[in-house]
mmCIF file of all heavy atoms in Angstrom:
data_model
loop_
_atom_site.group_PDB
_atom_site.id
_atom_site.type_symbol
_atom_site.label_atom_id
_atom_site.label_comp_id
_atom_site.label_asym_id
_atom_site.label_seq_id
_atom_site.Cartn_x
_atom_site.Cartn_y
_atom_site.Cartn_z
ATOM 1 N N GLY A 319 -34.518 -7.134 -2.458
ATOM 2 C CA GLY A 319 -33.212 -7.265 -1.818
ATOM 3 C C GLY A 319 -32.209 -6.206 -2.247
ATOM 4 O O GLY A 319 -31.102 -6.150 -1.732
ATOM 5 N N GLY A 320 -32.595 -5.349 -3.217
ATOM 6 C CA GLY A 320 -31.697 -4.265 -3.630
ATOM 7 C C GLY A 320 -31.569 -3.233 -2.526
ATOM 8 O O GLY A 320 -32.506 -2.991 -1.780
ATOM 9 N N LEU A 321 -30.392 -2.635 -2.441
ATOM 10 C CA LEU A 321 -30.115 -1.697 -1.352
ATOM 11 C C LEU A 321 -30.285 -0.248 -1.797
ATOM 12 O O LEU A 321 -30.065 0.086 -2.960
ATOM 13 C CB LEU A 321 -28.669 -1.850 -0.859
ATOM 14 C CG LEU A 321 -28.196 -3.199 -0.356
ATOM 15 C CD1 LEU A 321 -26.732 -3.091 0.069
ATOM 16 C CD2 LEU A 321 -29.056 -3.669 0.809
ATOM 17 N N ILE A 322 -30.660 0.603 -0.830
ATOM 18 C CA ILE A 322 -30.626 2.052 -1.019
ATOM 19 C C ILE A 322 -29.503 2.584 -0.144
ATOM 20 O O ILE A 322 -29.439 2.277 1.040
ATOM 21 C CB ILE A 322 -31.936 2.725 -0.539
ATOM 22 C CG1 ILE A 322 -33.165 2.010 -1.058
ATOM 23 C CG2 ILE A 322 -31.922 4.212 -0.842
ATOM 24 C CD1 ILE A 322 -33.540 2.360 -2.441
ATOM 25 N N MET A 323 -28.619 3.361 -0.746
ATOM 26 C CA MET A 323 -27.528 3.946 0.040
ATOM 27 C C MET A 323 -27.458 5.450 -0.202
ATOM 28 O O MET A 323 -27.913 5.945 -1.229
ATOM 29 C CB MET A 323 -26.186 3.270 -0.327
ATOM 30 C CG MET A 323 -26.162 1.790 0.002
ATOM 31 S SD MET A 323 -24.662 0.922 -0.532
ATOM 32 C CE MET A 323 -23.421 1.635 0.526
ATOM 33 N N HIS A 324 -26.899 6.143 0.763
ATOM 34 C CA HIS A 324 -26.759 7.603 0.674
ATOM 35 C C HIS A 324 -25.592 7.992 1.566
ATOM 36 O O HIS A 324 -25.479 7.483 2.680
ATOM 37 C CB HIS A 324 -28.059 8.266 1.164
ATOM 38 C CG HIS A 324 -28.127 9.746 0.881
ATOM 39 N ND1 HIS A 324 -27.291 10.659 1.476
ATOM 40 C CD2 HIS A 324 -28.940 10.472 0.070
ATOM 41 C CE1 HIS A 324 -27.588 11.876 1.031
ATOM 42 N NE2 HIS A 324 -28.577 11.797 0.183
ATOM 43 N N PRO A 325 -24.689 8.874 1.081
ATOM 44 C CA PRO A 325 -23.520 9.209 1.898
ATOM 45 C C PRO A 325 -23.832 10.180 3.033
ATOM 46 O O PRO A 325 -22.980 10.385 3.904
ATOM 47 C CB PRO A 325 -22.572 9.862 0.885
ATOM 48 C CG PRO A 325 -23.471 10.453 -0.145
ATOM 49 C CD PRO A 325 -24.655 9.542 -0.230
ATOM 50 N N GLY A 326 -25.020 10.764 3.037
ATOM 51 C CA GLY A 326 -25.356 11.749 4.047
ATOM 52 C C GLY A 326 -24.568 13.031 3.819
ATOM 53 O O GLY A 326 -23.556 13.009 3.152
ATOM 54 N N PRO A 327 -25.007 14.151 4.362
ATOM 55 C CA PRO A 327 -26.314 14.368 4.985
ATOM 56 C C PRO A 327 -27.420 14.377 3.929
ATOM 57 O O PRO A 327 -27.223 14.833 2.821
ATOM 58 C CB PRO A 327 -26.154 15.741 5.638
ATOM 59 C CG PRO A 327 -25.022 16.414 4.944
ATOM 60 C CD PRO A 327 -24.145 15.334 4.410
ATOM 61 N N MET A 328 -28.589 13.862 4.310
ATOM 62 C CA MET A 328 -29.696 13.730 3.350
ATOM 63 C C MET A 328 -30.521 15.007 3.280
ATOM 64 O O MET A 328 -30.730 15.668 4.287
ATOM 65 C CB MET A 328 -30.641 12.612 3.812
ATOM 66 C CG MET A 328 -30.139 11.228 3.555
ATOM 67 S SD MET A 328 -31.390 10.019 4.058
ATOM 68 C CE MET A 328 -31.108 9.903 5.809
ATOM 69 N N ASN A 329 -31.003 15.314 2.084
ATOM 70 C CA ASN A 329 -32.081 16.291 1.938
ATOM 71 C C ASN A 329 -33.358 15.480 1.771
ATOM 72 O O ASN A 329 -33.697 15.084 0.651
ATOM 73 C CB ASN A 329 -31.907 17.157 0.696
ATOM 74 C CG ASN A 329 -30.626 17.974 0.735
ATOM 75 O OD1 ASN A 329 -30.380 18.702 1.685
ATOM 76 N ND2 ASN A 329 -29.816 17.844 -0.299
ATOM 77 N N ARG A 330 -34.030 15.181 2.873
ATOM 78 C CA ARG A 330 -35.243 14.372 2.778
ATOM 79 C C ARG A 330 -36.280 15.128 1.956
ATOM 80 O O ARG A 330 -36.473 16.330 2.152
ATOM 81 C CB ARG A 330 -35.792 14.069 4.171
ATOM 82 C CG ARG A 330 -34.967 13.026 4.923
ATOM 83 C CD ARG A 330 -35.536 12.797 6.299
ATOM 84 N NE ARG A 330 -34.681 11.922 7.103
ATOM 85 C CZ ARG A 330 -34.993 10.671 7.440
ATOM 86 N NH1 ARG A 330 -36.156 10.152 7.064
ATOM 87 N NH2 ARG A 330 -34.177 9.942 8.166
ATOM 88 N N GLY A 331 -36.914 14.425 1.037
ATOM 89 C CA GLY A 331 -37.921 15.068 0.200
ATOM 90 C C GLY A 331 -37.341 15.659 -1.080
ATOM 91 O O GLY A 331 -38.085 16.073 -1.955
ATOM 92 N N VAL A 332 -36.006 15.724 -1.198
ATOM 93 C CA VAL A 332 -35.419 16.193 -2.449
ATOM 94 C C VAL A 332 -34.903 14.972 -3.212
ATOM 95 O O VAL A 332 -35.616 14.391 -4.022
ATOM 96 C CB VAL A 332 -34.302 17.237 -2.216
ATOM 97 C CG1 VAL A 332 -33.757 17.729 -3.553
ATOM 98 C CG2 VAL A 332 -34.835 18.408 -1.397
ATOM 99 N N GLU A 333 -33.662 14.533 -2.910
ATOM 100 C CA GLU A 333 -33.128 13.381 -3.660
ATOM 101 C C GLU A 333 -33.663 12.053 -3.137
ATOM 102 O O GLU A 333 -33.620 11.048 -3.838
ATOM 103 C CB GLU A 333 -31.598 13.386 -3.675
ATOM 104 C CG GLU A 333 -30.945 13.036 -2.354
ATOM 105 C CD GLU A 333 -30.598 14.265 -1.513
ATOM 106 O OE1 GLU A 333 -31.052 15.366 -1.905
ATOM 107 O OE2 GLU A 333 -29.902 14.127 -0.493
ATOM 108 N N ILE A 334 -34.150 12.047 -1.901
ATOM 109 C CA ILE A 334 -34.663 10.801 -1.333
ATOM 110 C C ILE A 334 -35.874 11.138 -0.464
ATOM 111 O O ILE A 334 -35.843 12.102 0.305
ATOM 112 C CB ILE A 334 -33.561 10.074 -0.518
ATOM 113 C CG1 ILE A 334 -34.027 8.713 -0.016
ATOM 114 C CG2 ILE A 334 -33.071 10.925 0.642
ATOM 115 C CD1 ILE A 334 -32.892 7.817 0.462
ATOM 116 N N ASP A 335 -36.957 10.360 -0.623
ATOM 117 C CA ASP A 335 -38.140 10.607 0.189
ATOM 118 C C ASP A 335 -37.902 10.145 1.611
ATOM 119 O O ASP A 335 -37.184 9.180 1.849
ATOM 120 C CB ASP A 335 -39.350 9.857 -0.396
ATOM 121 C CG ASP A 335 -40.171 10.775 -1.295
ATOM 122 O OD1 ASP A 335 -39.657 11.856 -1.651
ATOM 123 O OD2 ASP A 335 -41.310 10.401 -1.619
ATOM 124 N N SER A 336 -38.553 10.830 2.535
ATOM 125 C CA SER A 336 -38.314 10.532 3.932
ATOM 126 C C SER A 336 -38.638 9.076 4.262
ATOM 127 O O SER A 336 -37.870 8.401 4.951
ATOM 128 C CB SER A 336 -39.158 11.464 4.804
ATOM 129 O OG SER A 336 -38.617 11.513 6.077
ATOM 130 N N ASP A 337 -39.760 8.551 3.757
ATOM 131 C CA ASP A 337 -40.116 7.179 4.132
ATOM 132 C C ASP A 337 -39.229 6.151 3.427
ATOM 133 O O ASP A 337 -39.080 5.032 3.908
ATOM 134 C CB ASP A 337 -41.612 6.892 3.923
ATOM 135 C CG ASP A 337 -42.090 7.283 2.540
ATOM 136 O OD1 ASP A 337 -41.315 7.945 1.815
ATOM 137 O OD2 ASP A 337 -43.220 6.928 2.173
ATOM 138 N N VAL A 338 -38.594 6.552 2.315
ATOM 139 C CA VAL A 338 -37.645 5.639 1.668
ATOM 140 C C VAL A 338 -36.384 5.507 2.518
ATOM 141 O O VAL A 338 -35.849 4.413 2.720
ATOM 142 C CB VAL A 338 -37.288 6.139 0.251
ATOM 143 C CG1 VAL A 338 -36.119 5.352 -0.328
ATOM 144 C CG2 VAL A 338 -38.501 6.050 -0.655
ATOM 145 N N ALA A 339 -35.944 6.649 3.064
ATOM 146 C CA ALA A 339 -34.728 6.641 3.875
ATOM 147 C C ALA A 339 -34.880 5.736 5.090
ATOM 148 O O ALA A 339 -33.890 5.217 5.613
ATOM 149 C CB ALA A 339 -34.391 8.063 4.319
ATOM 150 N N ASP A 340 -36.104 5.535 5.555
ATOM 151 C CA ASP A 340 -36.320 4.730 6.759
ATOM 152 C C ASP A 340 -36.716 3.289 6.460
ATOM 153 O O ASP A 340 -37.024 2.527 7.376
ATOM 154 C CB ASP A 340 -37.384 5.407 7.640
ATOM 155 C CG ASP A 340 -36.942 6.805 8.059
ATOM 156 O OD1 ASP A 340 -35.724 6.993 8.231
ATOM 157 O OD2 ASP A 340 -37.789 7.702 8.189
ATOM 158 N N LEU A 341 -36.706 2.891 5.187
ATOM 159 C CA LEU A 341 -37.011 1.495 4.842
ATOM 160 C C LEU A 341 -35.903 0.567 5.328
ATOM 161 O O LEU A 341 -34.756 0.971 5.417
ATOM 162 C CB LEU A 341 -37.116 1.339 3.314
ATOM 163 C CG LEU A 341 -38.328 1.925 2.608
ATOM 164 C CD1 LEU A 341 -38.155 1.763 1.099
ATOM 165 C CD2 LEU A 341 -39.603 1.253 3.073
ATOM 166 N N PRO A 342 -36.249 -0.710 5.604
ATOM 167 C CA PRO A 342 -35.203 -1.658 6.024
ATOM 168 C C PRO A 342 -34.103 -1.833 4.978
ATOM 169 O O PRO A 342 -32.964 -2.124 5.315
ATOM 170 C CB PRO A 342 -35.963 -2.977 6.216
ATOM 171 C CG PRO A 342 -37.394 -2.615 6.309
ATOM 172 C CD PRO A 342 -37.580 -1.311 5.587
ATOM 173 N N ARG A 343 -34.434 -1.674 3.704
ATOM 174 C CA ARG A 343 -33.398 -1.866 2.685
ATOM 175 C C ARG A 343 -32.502 -0.643 2.529
ATOM 176 O O ARG A 343 -31.535 -0.690 1.776
ATOM 177 C CB ARG A 343 -34.031 -2.245 1.351
ATOM 178 C CG ARG A 343 -34.999 -1.189 0.841
ATOM 179 C CD ARG A 343 -35.278 -1.358 -0.625
ATOM 180 N NE ARG A 343 -35.858 -2.649 -0.959
ATOM 181 C CZ ARG A 343 -36.115 -3.004 -2.221
ATOM 182 N NH1 ARG A 343 -35.858 -2.175 -3.199
ATOM 183 N NH2 ARG A 343 -36.645 -4.168 -2.478
ATOM 184 N N SER A 344 -32.817 0.451 3.219
ATOM 185 C CA SER A 344 -31.897 1.587 3.264
ATOM 186 C C SER A 344 -30.855 1.301 4.331
ATOM 187 O O SER A 344 -31.189 1.082 5.488
ATOM 188 C CB SER A 344 -32.626 2.872 3.658
ATOM 189 O OG SER A 344 -33.527 3.231 2.680
ATOM 190 N N VAL A 345 -29.604 1.307 3.950
ATOM 191 C CA VAL A 345 -28.555 0.911 4.904
ATOM 192 C C VAL A 345 -27.694 2.115 5.272
ATOM 193 O O VAL A 345 -26.498 1.995 5.516
ATOM 194 C CB VAL A 345 -27.695 -0.234 4.341
ATOM 195 C CG1 VAL A 345 -28.521 -1.496 4.229
ATOM 196 C CG2 VAL A 345 -27.109 0.131 2.982
#
Side-chain angles (χ1 to χ4, degrees):
Chain A
L321 302 180
I322 313 279
M323 297 175 68
H324 191 294
M328 283 183 278
N329 298 306
R330 286 179 187 251
V332 182
E333 72 266 10
I334 185 165
D335 264 14
S336 200
D337 51 350
V338 170
D340 300 327
L341 288 175
R343 59 162 60 183
S344 294
V345 293

